Every structure is written in C-alpha cells, then in structure tokens.
Amino acid sequence: MPFLGQDWRSPGQSWVKTEEEVSFCQEEEEEEEEECFSKENLLLSLGYDMAAKKRKKDLMNNNTKVPYFHREKWIYVHKGSTKERHGYCTLGEAFNRLDFCSAIKDTRRFNYVVRLLELIAKSQLPALSGVAQKNYMNILERVVQKVLDDQQDVRPIKELLQMLYISLCGLVQDMGKSVLVGNINIWVHRMENIMQWQQQLDSIQINRPKSTGMTLTDLPASLQLNIMQRLWDGRDLVSLGQVCPELGALTEDRLLWKRLCQYHFTDRQIRKRLMVSDKGHLEWKKMYFKLSRCYPHREQYSDTLHLCTHCHILFWRDTNHPCTANNPESCTMSLSPQDFINLFNF
C-alpha cells in the first residue's frame, strides 16, 4: 500500500491517495507554503549552527579574553592506565581544570599563583598543551591588570614578565621542533604584549593614600620594628627604609636582618657565608643578600593547592571534592608550587 509522504524524487511534492487510484498530485498552494516553511526552518537551523560555531571559535580563538575552564574545580591525578582510567593526567590538563582565574583575585593565593606561573615560564611552558598555553597567557594578562589596578606587587610581576620574555626568546628560535604550539606570528604577538605590559608597569605611578589618621611613623619604634619583622623579603625592607630617614634608621637594625637570615637559610648555609665588620660584628644585612644569591628563599603561602592521598585528587582548600575516606583531613597534604610541578614529572 502506498504511503503518504514526501516524494523522494522531487522535493515539495507528495503522494496523495484518491478514490480511484493512487496518483501523484502537486498542489501549488500547499507546495508554496511547505517551501516557505522549509526555507524558514533551514535559515533558523543555519543561524543556530553559525551562532554555535562562532561561540566555539571565539572560545578557542587566541584573541579571546575568556579563559578555558571546567565546571569542577578539582582534578584526579593519575600517572598510569588502569581498568577504570586510561592515559594519565598532564600539567596542561591540571592547569586548565583548576580555577586559577579566581585564585588571583584572592589575596591569600595571589603569591602562590604568581610563583607557579614563574616556574612554568622558567622550564615547563613547552609541556603545556595549546589550550593551556593560551590559558596561561590569559591568566597572566589578568594578573598584570590586577597589579595595575591595585598598585601592589609590582616588582614580582616585573620579574615574572622578564623571565617569561627571556624564555620565549629561546623557545621561538626552536619553532618547528614541537616546542611551542601554534604559529610563530602568534607568539611574536604575545611577546609584544609582554613588552607592552612591562612598559605599563615601569610607568606606573603609586598614588599616596589620603589618610588623616595615624601613620606608621606615628607609632612607637618598638611597634614599627614589630611590623617590619612581618616582612619576609629584604628588598621590601630596603624600599621601606627609603620612605623617610626615621624608617631608614630602623631598617638597619641588625636583629631585624639576623631574623631574616635565620628564617630563610639554614645554620650550615649561614656559616659558609659569614661576614664580619671591622668592629667584630656580623654583617647580617650583607650576609642576607649574599645568601640570597646563593640559595633559594624559604617559601610561605597563606593558601595552597592540596592533594588528597586517599583519592589522588588535587584541589583548592575551600572546594569540595568527592573523597571517600573516613577522615578526609588526615589524607590531605599541602603542595608548594614546586611540588605541584613535580607531580607531573614522569
């Protein structure tokens, strides 16, 4: 028995069953209506497809400012294939999955993320995927913009940009050897952006806050020294001493520099770099900068990434992860930026 439907031989026409026989009928009005309806549906579907493709292209385009992110703010770190999981987790995948864009807005995590960006720029940039490399540059741009807006942490970001530019100069020369993902013109454009960011940071003008209340110099000298002991970088002490002669005299306190040396370096390292003045006193300030050139500083962060040793999940402290341990707190360990990099050295 013939069916009622569109004729496969000529679109727009249909088989129609009559009383006498099954014949092929074409009605002009119905045909025009169906044709208009099909055209409208076709245009709508094409519009939806073009919009979806445009959103996907904008997301993956190198000029986009929207970072690539996932819904979960944790990642399962596995180094081998099992029956349940195939493959392994890479540094680029972890960098994309963890929420670094929100982390740079948090004062407790800002220095942690900056140190991590510095380690990646130093030696791990070729280990990132193309999406992760683009995400890295987008996060770096947000870091620079935050520093320009807040007028804080200018020196570490300038050092980060300088290190990244030097690393890219060497990597761009090796283009074609699977070092960097993408066209060389893209990376030349990114290097130009880095130079522009450096110029913006060099020309930044720190505005003196308008305060009518008590200032640091109004406090007793003992309280001022107590506040200075909270600074863990000797270069910050030197910058503070350049504000006024009173603060400059306090920053020369020998006990202040001695505590800095003992905080960052071991006794064995200090004994190897002893410096004695003409009066027989140890030159703790000179020793600090000499030790800084020879040994790395001790790192301290308010908040870090954590690794659950029970379920092997990497996460931020305030984000929940699906842990099945009876006591999740006992299975959690804090990771320094270098520990994070070492997780993927396999």
Side-chain angles (χ1 to χ4, degrees):
M1 180 177 179
F3 59 87
L4 299 178
Q6 187 177 3
D7 183 15
W8 60 273
R9 294 172 299 179
S10 55
Q13 299 176 348
S14 60
W15 291 97
V16 178
K17 183 178 180 180
T18 61
E19 296 180 355
E20 299 177 355
E21 59 181 359
V22 177
S23 61
F24 188 71
C25 179
Q26 177 181 2
E27 300 180 2
E28 295 182 358
E29 294 181 358
E30 293 181 358
E31 179 181 331
E32 292 178 358
E33 292 178 359
E34 291 179 358
E35 186 176 357
C36 293
F37 183 73
S38 61
K39 285 183 179 180
E40 290 179 0
N41 289 338
L42 179 62
L43 290 175
L44 288 175
S45 62
L46 289 176
Y48 291 147
D49 292 341
M50 291 178 62
K53 290 181 180 179
K54 185 176 184 303
R55 287 194 299 269
K56 183 177 180 181
K57 183 178 180 181
D58 291 340
L59 181 62
M60 304 303 294
N61 189 19
N62 287 317
N63 296 328
T64 182
K65 306 303 179 186
V66 180
Y68 186 79
F69 62 92
H70 291 260
R71 196 164 114 187
E72 295 86 2
K73 301 302 186 292
W74 50 267
I75 184 171
Y76 178 82
V77 181
H78 52 105
K79 297 184 179 181
S81 298
T82 62
K83 292 183 179 180
E84 294 80 11
R85 294 178 179 270
H86 295 279
Y88 55 90
C89 179
T90 62
L91 176 62
E93 185 180 357
F95 190 78
N96 289 333
R97 289 285 295 273
L98 298 172
D99 191 12
F100 288 104
C101 289
S102 300
I104 62 177
K105 301 176 183 178
D106 193 337
T107 307
R108 302 170 302 167
R109 300 174 181 172
F110 181 80
N111 291 330
Y112 184 90
V113 177
V114 170
R115 176 58 179 167
L116 185 59
L117 295 177
E118 182 180 346
L119 291 176
I120 293 176
K122 190 175 182 180
S123 60
Q124 300 296 325
L125 195 59
L128 300 180
S129 63
V131 175
Q133 290 177 359
K134 177 177 65 67
N135 194 19
Y136 178 93
M137 298 301 299
N138 290 336
I139 293 175
L140 182 61
E141 182 177 1
R142 294 192 174 204
V143 169
V144 174
Q145 190 60 45
K146 182 179 185 302
V147 172
L148 293 174
D149 295 338
D150 299 343
Q151 297 185 344
Q152 297 178 1
D153 302 306
V154 178
R155 185 182 63 247
I157 305 306
K158 291 173 65 175
E159 295 175 352
L160 169 62
L161 294 177
Q162 182 66 21
M163 178 180 296
L164 178 60
Y165 186 83
I166 294 174
S167 299
L168 287 179
C169 288
L171 294 175
V172 168
Q173 295 176 0
D174 296 332
M175 290 292 287
K177 301 179 182 179
S178 300
V179 177
L180 294 175
V181 181
N183 189 281
I184 187 174
N185 296 326
I186 296 176
W187 287 101
V188 171
H189 177 69
R190 290 172 177 173
M191 293 175 67
E192 292 175 354
N193 289 338
I194 294 174
M195 294 181 62
Q196 183 179 0
W197 295 338
Q198 288 178 326
Q199 294 175 358
Q200 292 177 355
L201 293 176
D202 290 335
S203 60
I204 189 173
Q205 298 291 332
I206 306 298
N207 299 325
R208 188 181 183 90
K210 297 179 180 180
S211 177
T212 57
M214 182 177 295
T215 61
L216 179 62
T217 55
D218 297 331
L219 298 174
S222 59
L223 289 180
Q224 295 181 29
L225 285 173
N226 195 359
I227 294 174
M228 293 178 185
Q229 291 174 5
R230 304 297 190 271
L231 300 177
W232 67 279
D233 195 337
R235 293 173 297 180
D236 294 333
L237 276 178
V238 175
S239 300
L240 181 60
Q242 296 173 353
V243 175
C244 63
E246 292 79 7
L247 292 177
L250 289 176
T251 54
E252 296 295 330
D253 184 73
R254 293 178 60 253
L255 185 59
L256 198 62
W257 292 98
K258 178 182 178 180
R259 290 181 176 178
L260 264 181
C261 291
Q262 292 176 344
Y263 175 77
H264 287 289
F265 311 107
T266 63
D267 294 338
R268 183 178 180 182
Q269 293 172 345
I270 293 175
R271 286 195 298 266
K272 288 184 178 180
R273 298 292 187 273
L274 290 178
M275 298 179 66
V276 184
S277 64
D278 298 335
K279 297 181 180 180
H281 300 299
L282 290 176
E283 296 285 352
W284 289 105
K285 182 178 179 179
K286 295 181 180 179
M287 288 170 54
Y288 170 81
F289 289 106
K290 189 174 182 179
L291 289 166
S292 300
R293 292 190 294 268
C294 301
Y295 307 105
H297 283 191
R298 176 183 175 185
E299 297 181 1
Q300 183 178 6
Y301 305 100
S302 301
D303 193 9
T304 65
L305 285 170
H306 290 74
L307 177 68
C308 180
T309 57
H310 176 76
C311 51
H312 303 284
I313 287 181
L314 192 62
F315 63 99
W316 291 105
R317 189 70 173 179
D318 58 350
T319 57
N320 297 323
H321 73 284
C323 186
T324 57
N326 295 327
N327 188 8
E329 294 294 333
S330 62
C331 304
T332 302
M333 59 179 295
S334 177
L335 294 180
S336 67
Q338 187 61 54
D339 294 335
F340 174 80
I341 299 294
N342 294 338
L343 277 179
F344 308 97
N345 290 338
F346 52 87

